[in-house]
Amino acid sequence: MENVALFTVIFPGNLAYFHDFMLSLQRQTYGGFKLLLMVDGVPDIEAELQPFRDSLRIETKFHTGSIAEVRDHGIRWIVAGNYDYVIFADSDDIMHPDRIAVCLEGLDAAPCVVNDVIPFHSIDNTGNGYWRDRLDDGQSFGADTIKFCNFAGLGNSAIRKDAFRAMSIPAGLVAVDWFLFYHWLQSGKGVFKHHGVIYYRQHASNTAGLSVVTPERLIRVLDTKIRHMNALVHDFRDFEQEIRRHLTLKDRLSNDAVFQKEAIQQLNQMNLNFFWWEETQYIHE
């Protein structure tokens, strides 16, 4: 029998959406998984879980801390469980009923699967994914593909035991998923799937988000990428030049109003569904 875990984190900012998330787990066509729920700052979570106890296998673990600390504890919890397959999800999203089945099928051929996402604000009648026009169904990708941007999140991915390992996550890191997958994909290729989509909710607690570029968002992207690359540069020295470029770019965007306005106008006119943290790759001095 397959040993499958679905891992997510619940925290106060996601609680309003948690019931809908749980309903989407209940509707999965593949039901042989265990929900590993990391609880961060929600002491009365049992009241939310009780309606689902009869239909889902649920295990909880409590830890309160930063994004990096909570995910670090979660990853170590998963490793200790020795699961064959791990499905990652965000507790404020909704999963297509076939999502786990699609992931498991993909993991037979590749060590990592990433599902497309559909933002709630752009759901259309065709159900097309946000990155469908940029990545083919079944397209292979490696660490180099996500070197300067990311689409492999801890909300739309799955991984096989042979590619999965715990590692020390630097304190204060925001893009934890990007850091982890850049390491995990060093030894193998992932595959992107159009099917089994995530209905991706946009709200104030989103870490990354998919939205219109504003001055605040652009500086946030730069800060996140600089912190991310600084976390990787000890093991991957080729990030040194890119760190310097992003520091220079941040300084100019912060101090040159004309340059900032032109950069933001250019990005918003590109009509491109950016990957997470990708925007700065299109700004040139």
Side-chain angles (χ1 to χ4, degrees), residues 113-226:
V113 169
V114 171
N115 305 96
D116 207 345
V117 301
I118 300 179
F120 269 71
H121 66 76
S122 63
I123 293 176
D124 58 35
N125 293 327
T126 65
N128 287 339
Y130 194 69
W131 294 313
R132 186 185 185 94
D133 293 336
R134 301 196 62 191
L135 295 166
D136 294 332
D137 185 41
Q139 181 171 329
S140 178
F141 66 91
D144 284 349
T145 316
I146 61 167
K147 188 170 185 176
F148 300 124
C149 59
N150 189 36
F151 50 80
L154 290 178
N156 69 322
S157 61
I159 196 164
R160 212 166 57 198
K161 181 167 67 174
D162 57 294
F164 183 76
R165 62 187 174 92
M167 63 189 73
S168 179
I169 300 174
L173 198 65
V174 174
V176 171
D177 44 12
W178 193 8
F179 176 84
L180 291 170
F181 277 102
Y182 191 76
H183 280 92
W184 290 337
L185 289 169
Q186 293 298 318
S187 56
K189 298 282 189 178
V191 63
F192 187 80
K193 290 288 188 180
H194 286 179
H195 306 293
V197 296
I198 306 297
Y199 298 100
Y200 184 82
R201 202 182 297 271
Q202 299 279 282
H203 59 90
S205 295
N206 282 140
T207 300
L210 304 167
S211 56
V212 173
V213 182
T214 62
E216 295 76 19
R217 173 167 176 76
L218 196 54
I219 294 300
R220 186 164 178 256
V221 168
L222 281 160
D223 285 340
T224 299
K225 293 183 78 168
I226 291 166

Side-chain angles (χ1 to χ4, degrees), residues 232-241:
L232 290 171
V233 72
H234 177 76
D235 296 319
F236 306 97
R237 304 304 300 182
D238 53 335
F239 278 106
E240 289 179 346
Q241 180 177 348

Side-chain angles (χ1 to χ4, degrees), residues 11-279:
F11 55 95
N14 278 9
L15 196 56
Y17 316 105
F18 185 62
H19 187 80
D20 287 345
F21 168 75
M22 294 296 291
L23 286 174
S24 78
L25 297 191
Q26 207 172 44
R27 294 168 182 151
Q28 290 298 300
T29 56
Y30 176 90
F33 63 93
K34 178 190 285 187
L35 171 61
L36 301 182
L37 180 65
M38 179 66 71
V39 183
D40 177 10
V42 186
D44 55 347
I45 190 61
E46 186 56 37
E48 302 290 335
L49 295 176
Q50 197 56 46
F52 302 98
R53 285 288 186 185
D54 291 340
S55 57
L56 297 173
R57 290 188 297 150
I58 304 171
E59 188 173 334
T60 57
K61 189 177 183 66
F62 290 76
H63 185 82
T64 297
S66 68
I67 292 173
E69 290 167 344
V70 172
R71 273 71 184 170
D72 183 77
H73 276 73
I75 296 298
R76 295 179 191 281
W77 182 26
I78 296 168
V79 169
N82 199 33
Y83 297 98
D84 296 322
Y85 305 100
V86 181
I87 316 295
F88 294 108
D90 283 336
S91 62
D92 56 343
D93 294 336
I94 293 176
M95 304 196 314
H96 187 279
D98 289 337
R99 195 221 161 182
I100 295 179
V102 168
C103 287
L104 293 178
E105 181 183 9
L107 290 173
D108 282 340
C112 170
V113 169
V114 171
N115 305 96
D116 207 345
V117 301
I118 300 179
F120 269 71
H121 66 76
S122 63
I123 293 176
D124 58 35
N125 293 327
T126 65
N128 287 339
Y130 194 69
W131 294 313
R132 186 185 185 94
D133 293 336
R134 301 196 62 191
L135 295 166
D136 294 332
D137 185 41
Q139 181 171 329
S140 178
F141 66 91
D144 284 349
T145 316
I146 61 167
K147 188 170 185 176
F148 300 124
C149 59
N150 189 36
F151 50 80
L154 290 178
N156 69 322
S157 61
I159 196 164
R160 212 166 57 198
K161 181 167 67 174
D162 57 294
F164 183 76
R165 62 187 174 92
M167 63 189 73
S168 179
I169 300 174
L173 198 65
V174 174
V176 171
D177 44 12
W178 193 8
F179 176 84
L180 291 170
F181 277 102
Y182 191 76
H183 280 92
W184 290 337
L185 289 169
Q186 293 298 318
S187 56
K189 298 282 189 178
V191 63
F192 187 80
K193 290 288 188 180
H194 286 179
H195 306 293
V197 296
I198 306 297
Y199 298 100
Y200 184 82
R201 202 182 297 271
Q202 299 279 282
H203 59 90
S205 295
N206 282 140
T207 300
L210 304 167
S211 56
V212 173
V213 182
T214 62
E216 295 76 19
R217 173 167 176 76
L218 196 54
I219 294 300
R220 186 164 178 256
V221 168
L222 281 160
D223 285 340
T224 299
K225 293 183 78 168
I226 291 166
R227 186 175 295 183
H228 169 73
M229 291 185 288
N230 275 323
L232 290 171
V233 72
H234 177 76
D235 296 319
F236 306 97
R237 304 304 300 182
D238 53 335
F239 278 106
E240 289 179 346
Q241 180 177 348
E242 198 67 11
I243 291 170
R244 289 193 293 270
R245 185 180 84 83
H246 276 70
L247 286 169
T248 301
L249 184 58
K250 180 184 176 182
D251 181 68
R252 185 166 181 194
L253 285 167
S254 300
N255 295 289
D256 187 335
V258 174
F259 177 70
Q260 180 194 90
K261 182 179 179 181
E262 290 175 349
I264 291 171
Q265 185 177 42
Q266 172 202 335
L267 292 170
N268 284 323
Q269 289 176 346
M270 287 182 68
N271 195 30
L272 181 68
N273 288 345
F274 295 110
F275 298 131
W276 291 311
W277 320 116
E278 185 182 20
E279 293 90 336

